[in-house]
Structures are given as C-alpha cells and as structure tokens.
Amino acid sequence: MKLNQAVSERLLQLLAERNMTQYQLYMKSGVPKSTVSNIINCSYDSVKLRIIHEICQGMEIGLDTFFVSPLFQEDNLDP
C-alpha cells in the first residue's frame, strides 16, 4: 500500500469513528474541503505533515493517535 492510501484509509476510519463528515472536518480544522476530498481520493502523491496536523486538531486528536494504526507499519507500506 502506498503511504497516501494509508493516510486516506486512516482518515476515513477516524471520520467514521467520530460520526464526522468531510464537511464537519473542514469546518473544525480549516483545511479546505477540496484538500480533504483530494486526500481521501488519493489525488496527492503525498500529504504535508502540516495538513495532517491541522486535520488532527479538527478531530481533537494528536498526531500520535493518527499514526497509531497497522496501516503505517513498515511491512504494509510500499517503498
């Protein structure tokens, strides 16, 4: 799995856990709706850590919580 796919999948998991829509995330984080959509649709090859941090702030979680997932284990990521 590519890193951008892991970020997309993790974001979808966290949104579902919080019963939160992309629109609600945009409103709480300030990250543009188009950026959230592009991350989820894997339109970017990579995502800036600053954007992930802003998303985490909108979901009221830390970066550590975002990245604590088997999705980000080295064995699961393509080089």
Side-chain angles (χ1 to χ4, degrees):
M1 171 182 296
K2 292 184 179 180
L3 184 57
N4 65 337
Q5 293 170 317
V7 169
S8 170
E9 198 166 315
R10 181 62 174 150
L11 180 53
L12 288 170
Q13 286 174 353
L14 291 167
L15 287 172
E17 286 173 13
R18 286 158 179 72
N19 294 317
M20 190 179 217
T21 66
Q22 291 180 36
Y23 180 77
Q24 289 170 321
L25 178 60
Y26 149 70
M27 292 299 291
K28 289 186 176 192
S29 69
V31 175
K33 291 180 285 188
S34 60
T35 300
V36 173
S37 178
N38 285 335
I39 292 169
I40 288 173
N41 294 321
C42 297
S43 298
Y44 300 133
D45 288 332
S46 63
V47 181
K48 291 183 180 181
L49 187 57
R50 178 185 57 81
I51 299 296
I52 295 173
H53 181 251
E54 290 173 7
I55 286 171
C56 288
Q57 287 178 320
M59 289 190 286
E60 300 178 353
I61 62 171
L63 284 168
D64 56 332
T65 301
F66 187 90
F67 288 109
V68 173
S69 168
L71 293 167
F72 298 108
Q73 291 178 353
E74 241 357 91
D75 296 349
N76 295 331
L77 295 173
D78 294 339

